[in-house]
Each structure stands twice: as structure tokens, then as C-alpha cells.
Amino acid sequence: STPYIADTLECDIKETAYYSASELNGMRRKASDALSLARTVRREKEPRKDYNYYILKEPVTENPFYISASVTTKEQYKALYDAGLSRIYAPLSFAEEVGAYAGILDAVFDENKILSASRIIAGSLGAYSYSKKAGKLTSADYSMNIFNSVSALALDFEFVTLSPELSLRQCMDISSYAKTEAIAYGYLPLMKIGNCIVNAAGECKQKRCAGCDKEIKLKDRKGAIFKIKSDGKMNILYNSVPIFMADKLNEIKSAGIGGVRLSFTFESPVECAKIYLMFKENKKIEFPKSFTRGHFYRGF
């Protein structure tokens, strides 16, 4: 569990000497800690070098606060569109067909995929590069893990979806210089899994993974339920509770964030429309049974 490797070890002991495992581990920890301290002190004595980075000196022009949504099904899209929402992000498989505001290009993608949508939300640097080469207006998805204004301005993004691991204060710092949006509702993916858990659980009867949309649930030691959904290539493990910030929109606006995204996965079309209208009208807030504020208030 340390960054060090012992190449040689010399001992001067009697044949009858004995050390317990705990004593040996204690010696190892002391040696590792002493080495780390010595390296830290040496680094602090070295002169610091100036780092020249580009940062926009003028704050971004204020734009009207907006609500967007990402969907996983056409039915969710239609329900939101009928409810009056026009800024909807959809999977590339049907983004152009329904006229979505932007198509979502996942962090891991097929390099033969045709980018038919005029706008692309890229989930990784590779996806960004692929989109820009295709001449698309490209934005950064939250999986880009943009944590500061330098990263937000390093590439030609239309807007940046802030990482859910940022606090409101950190979001404010970035939003002063870049066009941003934050996820204010949704079950966020915790990991993508290459080995099919659906198949391992005996819930798969198909011979091919392509097109699979099977869904299973896992329960942890505390009784929390985590949904796992197949996207036809991998299993996606989602958080057991959604981010919910419908009652905190004024604080999000005060942080200078340009808009909020509602991320829909398991919700029915009716639920999608209901949640959108709750955020839009900002009244009669109905809280989920369990939810999280994400990292918005970390460090406050």
C-alpha cells in the first residue's frame, strides 16, 4: 500500500532471534513514513516554478437560466417535449430522429459511429476530439471531470457540465469564467462493468448482448438498492438514491451556474414530465423518499 519497493534487505541478527508479523509491519510503516517525510521536506525546499496558464479575465456574459434534461428512451423525450422542454439531450441512436438539442457521445464509444446530431455532448477527451473532427458544436459532459476554470477553457466547449463531485463554491469559481450547467436531479452512474452481472445472476436468456436493456438490482449491507442496467455493451451500476436540488435552485443560480440538467434513466415518461414541471415552476416540491445533495455542500 506504499509507493516504495525494497530492492535489498540486510539484517544482523542471531539465529534464535524472532520478530512477530506485527513488529515487522511496524518497522515497515516507520521506514515508509520516514521516507515520505524526507521526500516532502526536500520538495518544499525546492524553488517553486511559475505556471503560465490561460484564464479568461472578463466574466462570462450572463444568459437566462435554463433547464435541460438527458433521456434514455424516446418515450421520456416525448413526455418532456410535450411538457414544454426544448433543451433535451438524447442518445445518438435516436437524437436526430426526435430532433434533440444535442446527442450524447459516451466516454467509451465506437469510432465508426456516425455523428448525425448537429450538437454533441462528449463524455471524454477522445469523444471531444472525435466530435470536433466531425465539425460538431461540442460540449463537455460531467464525466470529463472538469474541476477548474483552466480545464473549462482549455478546449472549445459550447458549455461545460460540471462534475457532480464539485461543491457549490467550486462551481461558482468555474462559472465565473465559463458557460456551465450542473446536474440537479438524477441517478448517477457509479461504474461501468465489462463482465455481465445480468448474465451472472441468471437473468439473461439472450445469445447476444447487443440491444439488451435488462435490469437487475443489488442490495448492500445497509439494505440500499442499487440498480444495474445493460446498455447493450456494458452493465451500468447506478447510485441507490438520486441527486435532488429542486428546492435549492436559488442557491444554484446565485453560484452563477448557467443551467441545471435533469438526468433521467429509470423514470417513467409521466415521472419525467412531473419532475421537470416541479423544477420549472419551483413550487409544490415533492421530495423523493431518499435522496442526496451530491457534493454541493461539501466543505461548507
Side-chain angles (χ1 to χ4, degrees), residues 30-78:
K30 287 180 180 179
S32 175
D33 291 345
L35 183 55
S36 294
L37 179 60
R39 295 178 70 230
T40 301
V41 171
R42 185 165 64 250
R43 282 200 304 268
E44 289 180 348
K45 290 181 179 179
E46 293 176 356
R48 297 185 182 275
K49 298 178 181 179
D50 291 332
Y51 174 62
N52 295 320
Y53 57 87
Y54 171 79
I55 188 167
L56 192 65
K57 295 182 179 180
E58 295 297 327
V60 296
T61 304
E62 291 188 8
N63 294 313
F65 188 79
Y66 67 84
I67 298 175
S68 68
S70 58
V71 299
T72 54
T73 69
K74 294 179 184 178
E75 292 75 19
Q76 291 175 335
Y77 180 93
K78 185 177 185 307

Side-chain angles (χ1 to χ4, degrees), residues 7 21 40 46 73 76 87 103 105 113 138 141 152 155-156 205 212 223 240 277 280 295 300:
D7 287 333
T40 301
E46 293 176 356
T73 69
Q76 291 175 335
R87 193 173 179 128
L105 183 59
K113 183 176 287 294
T138 309
D141 211 345
L155 298 173
D156 183 23
K205 307 299 180 183
C212 175
S240 60
L277 292 173
K280 178 185 177 183
H295 287 220
F300 273 71

Side-chain angles (χ1 to χ4, degrees), residues 82-118:
D82 290 345
L85 181 60
S86 58
R87 193 173 179 128
I88 307 175
Y89 315 142
L92 283 171
S93 57
F94 63 85
E96 183 185 31
E97 177 187 343
V98 297
Y101 182 88
I104 300 173
L105 183 59
D106 293 331
V108 180
F109 61 95
D110 180 358
E111 292 188 0
N112 295 317
K113 183 176 287 294
I114 298 174
L115 305 182
S116 51
S118 60

Side-chain angles (χ1 to χ4, degrees), residues 146 148-155 157 160 174 178 180:
I146 290 177
N148 54 58
S149 57
V150 176
S151 299
L153 297 166
L155 298 173
F157 296 123
V160 168
I174 299 174
T180 60

